[in-house]
Amino acid sequence: GRRPGEAALRRARSASGWDRFEVDAMAGTVVRRDSLAWIDTGAFGKGAALRGVRRVLEREGVRAALFDFGGQLLAVGTPPGEGAWPVAVAHPARRREPFAELRLRDRSVSTSSASERWVEESGERLGHILDPRTGRPVPAWGSVTVVAEDAFAADAVSTALFVMGPEEGMRWAKERTDVGVLFLVERGGAVEARWNAGLEPFRTGREGMIDIQGRPDARSVP
């Protein structure tokens, strides 16, 4: 319930970054260089867990499974009689309302936004994802969904792109073919959908993604 002042933010930012840690990959050790520095797994914890799940499934010979970790899913193989797993992408502001649909096989999909986890202070909603450049919560501009073969990558990239925002994030995503990226940007009560070429293999195959073209509150921008 208390916002940090500028001095506290400056101190926190000074304790942030990889240079605050000394990593020895050969020895398997990590040493903090600042007593205030710490590692938060929020940006990659689900992805790391799902990466481990996939290894277990491969070891046990499981050929088809869908794991939902809340905000991130792992699709292995295909469901019986289907060519891919149908996965809904939520409306960026109304999390219980599906907005679009992707079809996945042997991929993980992660969505980052500020609509589920937040606190309210002085009448303002503050999201849980922080911009390391300012130390402040990222504004709730919408959501970003990332599809990748590696669950860890999907989780980390979706968080990073949410921090970057739809403009800078899409410039980065346009150059990538190894990850599919879908931005849902809220503008004046409508939702603008943008995606990169890497997302094309996972679209439903209809004229645009399911439920987007026919929605009165949405428009698509490939």
Side-chain angles (χ1 to χ4, degrees), residues 41-77:
T41 61
F44 59 84
K46 290 180 182 179
L50 285 172
R51 177 193 276 179
V53 166
R54 186 166 188 172
R55 289 172 178 166
V56 172
L57 295 177
E58 291 174 350
R59 186 175 68 238
E60 298 298 325
V62 177
R63 297 182 179 179
L66 182 66
F67 279 81
D68 185 349
F69 271 25
Q72 183 168 5
L73 290 86
L74 173 67
V76 177

Side-chain angles (χ1 to χ4, degrees), residues 140-208:
W141 53 262
S143 69
V144 57
T145 297
V146 172
V147 178
E149 184 174 1
D150 178 27
F152 187 99
D155 195 0
V157 171
S158 70
T159 307
L161 290 179
F162 187 75
V163 172
M164 293 167 70
E167 304 302 331
E168 183 182 357
M170 182 52 77
R171 285 195 294 270
W172 179 90
K174 282 184 176 179
E175 305 300 322
R176 311 292 303 201
T177 58
D178 54 336
V179 293
V181 177
L182 169 64
F183 285 94
L184 297 180
V185 186
E186 294 185 88
R187 296 187 187 279
V191 176
E192 181 180 278
R194 307 176 182 177
W195 61 91
N196 70 341
L199 192 76
E200 291 293 341
F202 312 110
R203 294 174 62 193
T204 62
R206 287 180 48 178
E207 175 68 23

Side-chain angles (χ1 to χ4, degrees), residues 9-202:
L9 285 175
R10 283 195 300 271
R11 181 68 185 96
R13 291 199 304 272
S14 72
S16 301
W18 282 114
D19 59 345
R20 300 295 87 196
F21 295 88
E22 189 173 309
V23 180
D24 189 328
M26 295 297 294
T29 60
V30 179
V31 178
R32 287 194 300 178
R33 292 178 172 174
D34 191 305
S35 62
L36 291 183
W38 55 293
I39 297 177
D40 187 323
T41 61
F44 59 84
K46 290 180 182 179
L50 285 172
R51 177 193 276 179
V53 166
R54 186 166 188 172
R55 289 172 178 166
V56 172
L57 295 177
E58 291 174 350
R59 186 175 68 238
E60 298 298 325
V62 177
R63 297 182 179 179
L66 182 66
F67 279 81
D68 185 349
F69 271 25
Q72 183 168 5
L73 290 86
L74 173 67
V76 177
T78 62
E82 300 289 338
W85 292 96
V87 174
V89 178
H91 188 286
R94 302 186 291 274
R95 300 298 295 165
R96 295 186 180 276
E97 179 182 324
F99 189 90
E101 184 180 271
L102 304 174
R103 298 185 65 82
L104 305 180
R105 176 177 181 175
D106 296 323
R107 292 292 189 276
S108 182
V109 56
S110 174
T111 297
S112 294
S113 72
S115 65
E116 269 196 352
R117 296 177 56 193
W118 49 270
V119 296
E120 186 169 317
E121 201 277 325
S122 300
E124 181 182 1
R125 284 192 177 188
L126 305 174
H128 70 290
I129 299 178
L130 303 181
D131 187 334
R133 297 167 294 189
T134 64
R136 299 184 182 279
V138 179
W141 53 262
S143 69
V144 57
T145 297
V146 172
V147 178
E149 184 174 1
D150 178 27
F152 187 99
D155 195 0
V157 171
S158 70
T159 307
L161 290 179
F162 187 75
V163 172
M164 293 167 70
E167 304 302 331
E168 183 182 357
M170 182 52 77
R171 285 195 294 270
W172 179 90
K174 282 184 176 179
E175 305 300 322
R176 311 292 303 201
T177 58
D178 54 336
V179 293
V181 177
L182 169 64
F183 285 94
L184 297 180
V185 186
E186 294 185 88
R187 296 187 187 279
V191 176
E192 181 180 278
R194 307 176 182 177
W195 61 91
N196 70 341
L199 192 76
E200 291 293 341
F202 312 110

